[in-house]
Amino acid sequence: PLVKYRAQVMQSAVPEGVGAMAAILGLDDALVREACIKAANEYKSSNEVCEAVNYNSIGQVVIAGNKAAVERAMEICKANGAKRALPLPVSVPSHCALMRPAAEKLAQFLENVTINSPQIPVIHNADVAAYNDSARIKAALVRQLYSPVRWVETVQAIYDQGITNSAEIGPGKVLAGLTKRIVAQLPCSALTSTEAIEEFIKINQT
């Protein structure tokens, strides 16, 4: 119910066609952020948003915001040397300031949700920190809606804690590929089948 509600409030926060996201490849993070600021400033009178929102791997950053500002930022990034600037087929501009209304609704919903202290540390990608306190966990979940996903730092933090093997649990292999690009010394298996799960368990029991 919590995940479903989160998706619903994110979808309703911005009308379809108003927001956009794009992947910027082969450009320094700082230059991507500068492009977003320049693009947003061109539409300052209408308070349009454009922000770097997903630091997926070295040289791969996703931007999000109002459609016109995102498209302008893509042009600026390409002019500044980006290898590619690709619009993403999504209807929700996730992890940017446009999601603050959704975050406020999620915060209210979480007031009636019990969250126990995790038995295994969970690193929140909004601030690359792990919390045991329920209130701080809820605050991080809310903040994550409108804050950049710091995936590069998250993977580096996992490796710095002495983790020698990792796994992506989900329907695809995207995170496994990104993890290997961020820290080549940290193997990451995509657990997309029963066989893959059994193999991963076998490797980690020896």
Side-chain angles (χ1 to χ4, degrees):
L2 177 57
V3 174
K4 181 179 179 180
Y5 182 79
R6 178 182 183 272
Q8 289 172 337
V9 295
M10 289 177 69
Q11 185 70 64
S12 63
V14 180
E16 190 167 348
V18 173
M21 299 184 76
I24 309 299
L25 308 180
L27 192 64
D28 183 78
D29 292 356
L31 291 176
V32 175
R33 288 191 291 268
E34 285 180 16
C36 290
I37 292 171
K38 288 180 181 178
N41 284 341
E42 289 193 25
Y43 302 94
K44 186 174 289 186
S45 60
S46 57
N47 295 317
E48 295 212 347
V49 168
C50 185
E51 300 170 2
V53 298
N54 285 67
Y55 294 92
N56 287 340
S57 68
I58 310 302
Q60 184 181 134
V61 180
V62 173
I63 63 175
N66 293 96
K67 187 175 181 180
V70 169
E71 290 174 345
R72 177 62 181 139
M74 291 169 63
E75 295 175 6
I76 296 171
C77 287
K78 287 189 284 188
N80 288 340
K83 292 180 180 178
R84 301 182 77 183
L86 306 170
L88 300 181
V90 297
S91 58
V92 176
S94 302
H95 309 299
C96 71
L98 295 177
M99 288 295 109
R100 283 188 177 271
E104 292 172 4
K105 291 179 180 178
L106 181 64
Q108 294 175 355
F109 190 88
L110 282 167
E111 290 179 2
N112 298 314
V113 175
T114 300
I115 295 182
N116 298 321
S117 297
Q119 296 181 1
I120 299 171
V122 176
I123 300 176
H124 297 268
N125 58 44
D127 49 18
V128 197
Y131 303 112
N132 289 320
D133 178 70
S134 175
R136 298 186 74 181
I137 291 172
K138 290 181 180 182
L141 292 173
V142 171
R143 201 163 52 247
Q144 203 262 354
L145 259 67
Y146 59 82
S147 301
V149 174
R150 295 162 60 181
W151 185 246
V152 172
E153 293 173 82
T154 300
V155 172
Q156 290 170 338
I158 292 170
Y159 182 70
D160 290 342
Q161 290 181 18
I163 302 299
T164 57
N165 207 348
S166 62
E168 174 179 0
I169 303 172
K173 302 179 180 180
V174 174
L175 296 182
L178 292 177
T179 299
K180 292 173 185 176
R181 289 172 59 185
I182 296 167
V183 180
Q185 303 92 327
L186 180 61
C188 188
S189 303
L191 307 186
T192 55
S193 66
T194 302
E195 292 77 17
I197 295 172
E198 291 173 347
E199 180 64 21
F200 184 77
I201 293 172
K202 181 180 178 182
I203 291 172
N204 286 279
Q205 284 180 336
T206 57

